[in-house]
Amino acid sequence: MPNPLSSDDVGLLYVQHYPWLVRWLHRKLGCSHNAADFAQDTFCRLLGTPAPVLREPRAWLTTTASRLMIDDSRSRKVAQIFRESWLHVHGSDTAPSAETIAQAAQTLALVAQWLETLSPNARTAFLMVRLEGKTHAQVAAHLGVSVSRVRQYVSGCLVHCYTQAFADAGAV
């Protein structure tokens, strides 16, 4: 396993590539403040993480920054969906706190991450049953499998999420 980059190594990369990365991000985002934030987060990812020898540091930096932007976009979408759901359930008289929204977004992102490790059929079955309210028979017809197989998918998914929640020791 590669050794983590030292803070000196990261510092040298920072001095050499930070201005370029901010410019690259600014062209993508259209905002200098967000560009600086994402550039900073990109370099923070390097600190203490096992990393291969960076023969092409700019390629690594752009890939990492792009992934951070995607993660941020997903988090924003989850938070928006949560706010809309909150309004639907609670009405416009109350609004969730920023902390409640952040916790919900983190929890949903974690569950989504767990679901990504399952087979596509298991994930689809679980989401159709638990989120869309479809019956096992409807899901079986959609996936072209038996009803008992859909039950296996859904129960396996629940066990997987339960196991992950307690393996992550308080992540939820």
Side-chain angles (χ1 to χ4, degrees):
M1 182 163 124
N3 292 328
L5 293 172
S6 72
S7 57
D8 289 342
D9 294 334
V10 175
L12 182 59
L13 286 170
Y14 187 88
V15 168
Q16 292 173 339
H17 300 287
Y18 178 81
W20 169 83
L21 183 60
V22 170
R23 285 190 306 276
W24 183 84
L25 285 163
H26 187 248
R27 283 192 305 274
K28 295 275 184 200
L29 299 168
C31 173
S32 60
H33 299 292
N34 288 341
D37 287 345
F38 279 112
Q40 192 70 30
D41 290 346
T42 301
F43 281 97
C44 286
R45 282 275 171 108
L46 275 173
L47 290 170
T49 60
V53 175
L54 296 176
R55 288 188 176 86
E56 298 291 332
R58 287 186 176 186
W60 188 92
L61 292 169
T62 56
T63 299
T64 302
S66 295
R67 289 178 180 161
L68 287 170
M69 289 186 294
I70 290 167
D71 289 347
D72 182 67
S73 175
R74 285 181 184 153
S75 294
R76 289 178 191 272
K77 285 179 187 173
V78 167
Q80 181 60 34
I81 290 167
F82 178 76
R83 280 191 290 275
E84 290 169 3
S85 298
W86 179 281
L87 287 172
H88 180 73
V89 172
H90 299 283
S92 60
D93 295 342
T94 62
S97 67
E99 182 180 354
T100 300
I101 293 171
Q103 286 175 342
Q106 287 175 342
T107 301
L108 290 172
L110 194 56
V111 171
Q113 191 176 31
W114 298 338
L115 294 178
E116 285 297 317
T117 64
L118 300 170
S119 72
N121 275 357
R123 184 174 46 253
T124 300
F126 178 78
L127 293 172
M128 288 179 76
V129 168
R130 301 299 284 198
L131 294 181
E132 296 176 22
K134 303 289 186 193
T135 66
H136 289 100
Q138 290 170 320
V139 176
H142 176 78
L143 294 176
V145 298
S146 67
V147 171
S148 65
R149 187 67 181 134
V150 171
R151 285 190 187 105
Q152 291 171 354
Y153 284 148
V154 173
S155 64
C157 198
L158 289 169
V159 168
H160 176 71
C161 288
Y162 180 85
T163 303
Q164 290 298 310
F166 288 99
D168 288 349
V172 176

